[in-house]
Amino acid sequence: MVSEKVARELPTLRQVAAAAGVSIKTASRALNGEAHVAPATSDRVKEAASALGYRRNLLARDLRAHAGADVVGMVIADAANPFYADIALAAGAVLGEQGLLLFIGVSDKDPASEERIISGFLERRVAGLLVVSSREDHPQLRSEAERGVPTVFLDRPARDLAVDEVLFDNLEGARAAVDHLLEQGHRRIGVIGDLGSLPTHHERIAGVRRALTEAGVPVREDLFVTDVHDADGAEAAMRGLLTLSAPPTAVFTTNNRMAVGALRAVSRRDDLPALIGFDDFELAEVLGMSVVSNSPAEMGERGARMLLERVRGGSGPSRRVRLATELVVRRSTVTPLERSGGDDRAAVTGRRSPDAPRPEPPVVRVRSGALSPPSRRGRGRRQP
Amino acid sequence: MVSEKVARELPTLRQVAAAAGVSIKTASRALNGEAHVAPATSDRVKEAASALGYRRNLLARDLRAHAGADVVGMVIADAANPFYADIALAAGAVLGEQGLLLFIGVSDKDPASEERIISGFLERRVAGLLVVSSREDHPQLRSEAERGVPTVFLDRPARDLAVDEVLFDNLEGARAAVDHLLEQGHRRIGVIGDLGSLPTHHERIAGVRRALTEAGVPVREDLFVTDVHDADGAEAAMRGLLTLSAPPTAVFTTNNRMAVGALRAVSRRDDLPALIGFDDFELAEVLGMSVVSNSPAEMGERGARMLLERVRGGSGPSRRVRLATELVVRRSTVTPLERSGGDDRAAVTGRRSPDAPRPEPPVVRVRSGALSPPSRRGRGRRQP
DNA sequence: TTGAAAGCGCTACCAT
DNA sequence: ATGGTAGCGCTTTCAA
């Protein structure tokens, strides 16, 4: 009948000290492996601690030890997108090596949620922040960032903040994709893009425009569908494009969500336009989809390293890193012109009677900004 | 030349109070929206706070307010697997509605890392724990769980802990998959499975065995490849199976990682075995892959709700929930017998000249454990 | 090698 | 409606 809450109280250092018959300070020293403690005493304290089920209270420690916090907080927009998950994984690995813990909050693209998460981190005095922002402005971060809470923005720049950033070379990447389509002879090129408010989107669209303009090909705005929110929206957008009287002969999708939607729309159809996307994804190779490949793992790693420098006290002006992208050509953008006749449909899980396998290695070219070693290509999955 | 660290100190409540010309306690009340504060006073305090860039210190608050913590910690094994990401997203949504924040730590399948993350949460006195464990035992959690830190295990049971659990009906799901293969006339059925130490794996393999045994079909252990770690391993395993003198006519992959690997191995080959996997995945429909579908979103949601009850003080014995799975039949398991001739290869991104589209709606049957409403089917993506 | 006391920033309790 | 004081669990002086 005694409240079950009682059992929920964890023992304190004081209780451990009492049980071991030493002062609280000695217990503290023993448990933290500090010097100047007799081995026998230390053992006694440790035994008492584990007997009582002691677990140090980092709230108290960090409060007292000021700053402290061996935690880095990260906000990502969409956990179900492996792209962000890979960034987080790589960042966590780097941070973990340095003894820091990475805690991730998922905003699900909701600006209000992002703000709550960041506040939660800040109010708990994390050592630093890694953010993939879904917001256009960051008023709450202004004073913090200026005050010096180390912060690194990933994938999407913070227009209103002077913080370190790691971005992809979106413009060059998109331009490379469209250049490739142009080389294949396409002139009616469509685009399926996500929220127009995203800087990444802007840059990619700018790349498309530049490629077309420089090639002297008219920019067919009527074939650009933007402000698409997710894969479902992209699927609808693609269907829409296909019903036009003069549908595009090639479509560029601005990220992996858009690509998935577009793929769904063309699944099991035969009047396919050529397809190329920004962001490599796990099954792109299986599906034979050409992409502008980038390395989320590299982004996470670089971001974490930059953050570490700041956490360690590094100062100096904010930096912006642009990571190179790479064009990976697969079957989806091989035009009839280049094909030597015959059947080169993607046969994946559809079963059929025996037939000869068909080689056709992907063509790969490196493009865009420098600053990074020639990243991995092809399969497009992290390989640590 | 003054240390830049100085600027990093945030103002305290005391400073805000001083600036507003009130006592520290009044400032506290005003900032927390408590009663008994004159509106004018309250405004003055709030102004002072924002002018100084005040941000409350939750370390201090939670330390004092005891327990407290409006944070739930979650550990997942693999962020890049959308399956876990979906669980986390759904759990975060439920928790967020209730005013709790979800912080996620990624263990990357490393037991030591999992332990560090859980310790990190516990030492910061989180309100509860959601864990997808990569460990076989959980000594560090024994005393905590018994002491009453609310904990819910997801997807994988905690053999050594009496905690709430939300699991899939793995055995029935796997059995349904193999029953389906058997109905299609297959007798040489192979399996590609992940780490044998995982309870999920055991249960799924048990389901395979039961289906075969009940059908009086010999269990071909030589066609079972297990302890595969990732998609790359699965790819190799699949290649291995295909080079056998008498390769399996059908292969069951025990999770989405294994499925991806298997798909890579059979990509662009024509001598494909039938393929069915456990876990639906985003592009399964596009690829025409049959699967035993489950709902990670439902798992996350149920888990979060169970945790909430405990956090709110709910007691009682630990509960185990089994979520139903569903068989989704697509092209990859349609045998020649059933096909009405003609070409039904999966044409996805391979381009070719016009031809008639081919319908072929997925056949769907519900199977296995109850407890959940007939979940979504087909596309297999969350739709909140 | 060990201990006593002060205090981190906040809230709870009791005054006024 | 407002303020003082004690104290959360720990670490940091400074002594012993």
Side-chain angles (χ1 to χ4, degrees):
Chain A
M1 208 75 272
V2 180
S3 163
E4 80 260 1
K5 292 275 180 180
V6 167
R8 216 149 136 179
E9 304 299 340
L10 271 75
T12 70
L13 186 56
R14 162 169 278 111
Q15 293 169 46
V16 173
V22 299
S23 82
I24 180 176
K25 179 58 208 172
T26 300
S28 169
R29 277 197 267 257
L31 260 15
N32 288 318
E34 286 175 33
H36 306 305
V37 184
T41 312
S42 181
D43 290 348
R44 206 144 32 88
V45 172
K46 284 174 184 157
E47 275 171 37
S50 74
L52 291 176
Y54 172 76
R55 192 175 286 274
R56 58 187 180 163
N57 186 332
L58 256 35
L59 265 44
R61 173 211 278 249
D62 289 346
L63 174 60
R64 177 66 238 226
H66 231 299
D70 55 346
V71 168
V72 166
M74 177 169 193
V75 199
I76 61 177
D78 178 7
N81 186 340
F83 176 82
Y84 298 115
D86 281 340
I87 295 177
L89 186 67
V94 170
L95 262 14
E97 277 170 16
Q98 303 297 316
L100 294 178
L101 224 40
L102 180 69
F103 287 162
I104 302 165
V106 181
S107 70
D108 200 19
K109 301 180 196 162
D110 175 22
S113 171
E114 175 179 323
E115 187 169 348
R116 268 199 305 279
I117 292 165
I118 290 182
S119 288
F121 284 136
L122 255 15
E123 289 169 358
R124 286 179 179 78
R125 302 297 188 263
V126 293
L129 241 29
L130 244 24
V131 5
V132 178
S133 182
S134 302
R135 300 181 61 98
E136 296 184 52
D137 59 333
H138 310 80
Q140 57 155 176
L141 272 173
R142 287 221 65 127
S143 69
E144 316 292 339
E146 281 160 11
R147 206 179 294 276
V149 177
T151 303
V152 176
F153 268 57
L154 302 177
D155 191 47
R156 306 168 184 180
R159 301 187 228 200
D160 56 342
L161 257 32
V163 294
D164 289 344
E165 299 170 335
V166 185
L167 315 172
F168 287 116
D169 195 339
N170 295 304
L171 193 148
E172 285 303 321
R175 169 147 71 160
V178 175
D179 278 346
H180 168 62
L181 293 176
L182 290 168
E183 280 167 22
Q184 300 293 311
H186 295 283
R187 290 298 176 268
R188 280 208 314 283
I189 296 175
V191 172
I192 297 179
D194 57 9
L195 280 58
S197 62
L198 293 174
T200 42
H201 177 263
H202 274 134
E203 295 175 356
R204 291 173 193 179
I205 291 293
V208 172
R209 284 219 167 73
R210 186 171 302 180
L212 292 171
T213 309
E214 288 182 359
V217 174
V219 179
R220 293 289 302 272
E221 299 277 357
D222 56 318
L223 300 180
F224 291 13
V225 185
T226 56
D227 283 310
V228 173
H229 291 74
D230 50 26
D232 288 339
E235 181 175 351
M238 187 61 156
R239 289 195 203 286
L241 288 176
L242 293 179
T243 58
L244 294 176
S245 56
T249 62
V251 173
F252 170 60
T253 53
T254 67
N255 69 25
N256 71 31
R257 301 292 77 202
M258 305 296 109
V260 166
L263 283 167
R264 282 190 196 139
V266 304
S267 169
R268 310 193 57 68
R269 289 184 59 127
D270 297 306
D271 51 341
L272 311 179
L275 226 47
I276 188 166
F278 204 108
D279 293 341
D280 208 347
F281 56 95
E282 196 169 58
L283 289 167
E285 186 171 29
V286 169
L287 286 160
M289 174 141 180
S290 298
V291 297
V292 175
S293 169
N294 50 23
S295 171
E298 189 183 357
M299 175 167 279
E301 193 182 316
R302 293 291 293 264
R305 291 198 193 293
M306 288 169 75
L307 186 67
L308 271 168
E309 290 173 25
R310 301 285 188 187
V311 169
R312 303 279 187 242
S315 56
S318 59
R319 299 158 293 175
R320 167 175 290 186
V321 172
R322 287 275 180 185
L323 301 181
T325 61
E326 199 174 2
L327 180 67
V328 179
V329 176
R330 301 200 180 99
R331 299 189 300 283
S332 70
T333 50
V334 177
T335 69
L337 303 173
E338 289 197 356
R339 285 194 263 121
S340 53
D343 181 346
D344 74 334
R345 276 166 288 185
V348 180
T349 59
R351 308 179 61 219
R352 64 177 194 182
S353 47
D355 192 344
R358 346 174 189 81
E360 189 182 321
V363 180
V364 179
R365 290 178 303 167
V366 180
R367 305 282 301 209
S368 92
L371 285 172
S372 75
S375 58
R376 68 194 69 48
R377 45 160 281 287
R379 179 156 302 159
R381 303 309 295 161
R382 90 203 107 79
Q383 33 200 28
Chain B
M1 208 72 275
V2 179
S3 164
E4 77 261 1
K5 292 274 182 184
V6 168
R8 216 149 134 177
E9 305 300 340
L10 272 73
T12 70
L13 186 57
R14 161 169 279 111
Q15 294 169 46
V16 174
V22 298
S23 82
I24 179 176
K25 181 57 206 171
T26 299
S28 168
R29 275 196 269 255
L31 260 15
N32 288 317
E34 287 175 34
H36 305 304
V37 184
T41 313
S42 181
D43 290 349
R44 204 145 34 88
V45 172
K46 283 172 185 158
E47 275 170 36
S50 75
L52 292 175
Y54 172 75
R55 193 175 284 277
R56 59 187 179 163
N57 187 332
L58 256 35
L59 265 44
R61 172 209 280 248
D62 289 345
L63 175 60
R64 177 65 238 229
H66 230 291
D70 56 346
V71 168
V72 166
M74 177 170 193
V75 199
I76 61 177
D78 178 6
N81 186 340
F83 176 82
Y84 299 115
D86 282 340
I87 295 178
L89 186 66
V94 170
L95 262 14
E97 277 170 17
Q98 302 297 316
L100 293 177
L101 223 41
L102 180 69
F103 287 162
I104 302 165
V106 181
S107 69
D108 200 18
K109 301 182 198 162
D110 175 22
S113 171
E114 176 180 323
E115 187 169 347
R116 270 198 304 278
I117 292 165
I118 289 183
S119 288
F121 284 135
L122 255 15
E123 289 169 358
R124 286 177 179 79
R125 303 298 188 263
V126 293
L129 241 30
L130 244 23
V131 6
V132 178
S133 181
S134 302
R135 300 181 59 99
E136 297 183 52
D137 59 333
H138 311 80
Q140 57 154 176
L141 273 173
R142 285 221 66 127
S143 67
E144 316 291 340
E146 282 161 9
R147 206 179 297 274
V149 177
T151 303
V152 177
F153 268 58
L154 302 177
D155 191 48
R156 305 170 184 178
R159 302 187 229 202
D160 56 342
L161 255 33
V163 294
D164 289 343
E165 298 170 336
V166 183
L167 315 172
F168 287 116
D169 194 340
N170 296 304
L171 192 148
E172 285 303 321
R175 169 148 71 161
V178 175
D179 277 346
H180 168 63
L181 294 176
L182 290 168
E183 280 167 20
Q184 300 292 312
H186 295 283
R187 290 298 176 269
R188 280 206 317 281
I189 296 175
V191 172
I192 298 179
D194 57 9
L195 279 59
S197 61
L198 293 174
T200 42
H201 177 262
H202 274 135
E203 295 175 357
R204 292 173 193 179
I205 291 293
V208 171
R209 284 221 168 73
R210 185 170 304 179
L212 292 172
T213 309
E214 288 182 359
V217 173
V219 179
R220 294 288 303 272
E221 299 276 357
D222 56 318
L223 300 180
F224 290 14
V225 185
T226 56
D227 283 310
V228 173
H229 292 72
D230 49 26
D232 288 339
E235 181 175 352
M238 187 61 158
R239 289 194 202 286
L241 287 176
L242 293 178
T243 58
L244 294 177
S245 56
T249 62
V251 173
F252 171 61
T253 53
T254 65
N255 68 24
N256 72 31
R257 303 291 75 204
M258 305 296 108
V260 166
L263 284 167
R264 282 190 196 139
V266 303
S267 170
R268 310 196 52 69
R269 288 184 61 129
D270 298 305
D271 52 341
L272 311 178
L275 226 46
I276 188 166
F278 204 108
D279 293 340
D280 207 347
F281 56 95
E282 194 169 57
L283 289 167
E285 186 172 28
V286 169
L287 287 160
M289 176 145 180
S290 298
V291 297
V292 175
S293 169
N294 50 24
S295 171
E298 188 183 356
M299 176 168 277
E301 194 183 315
R302 293 290 295 262
R305 293 200 192 292
M306 288 170 75
L307 186 67
L308 271 168
E309 290 173 26
R310 300 287 188 186
V311 169
R312 304 279 187 239
S315 57
S318 59
R319 298 159 293 175
R320 167 174 291 185
V321 171
R322 286 275 181 186
L323 301 181
T325 61
E326 200 173 359
L327 180 66
V328 178
V329 176
R330 301 199 180 99
R331 299 190 300 282
S332 70
T333 51
V334 177
T335 67
L337 302 173
E338 289 196 355
R339 286 192 264 124
S340 53
D343 181 347
D344 75 335
R345 277 166 288 185
V348 181
T349 60
R351 307 180 60 222
R352 64 177 193 182
S353 48
D355 192 343
R358 346 174 192 80
E360 190 180 320
V363 180
V364 179
R365 289 178 304 165
V366 179
R367 305 281 302 207
S368 94
L371 285 172
S372 76
S375 57
R376 67 196 71 46
R377 46 160 281 288
R379 180 157 301 159
R381 302 310 294 162
R382 89 203 107 83
Q383 34 200 31

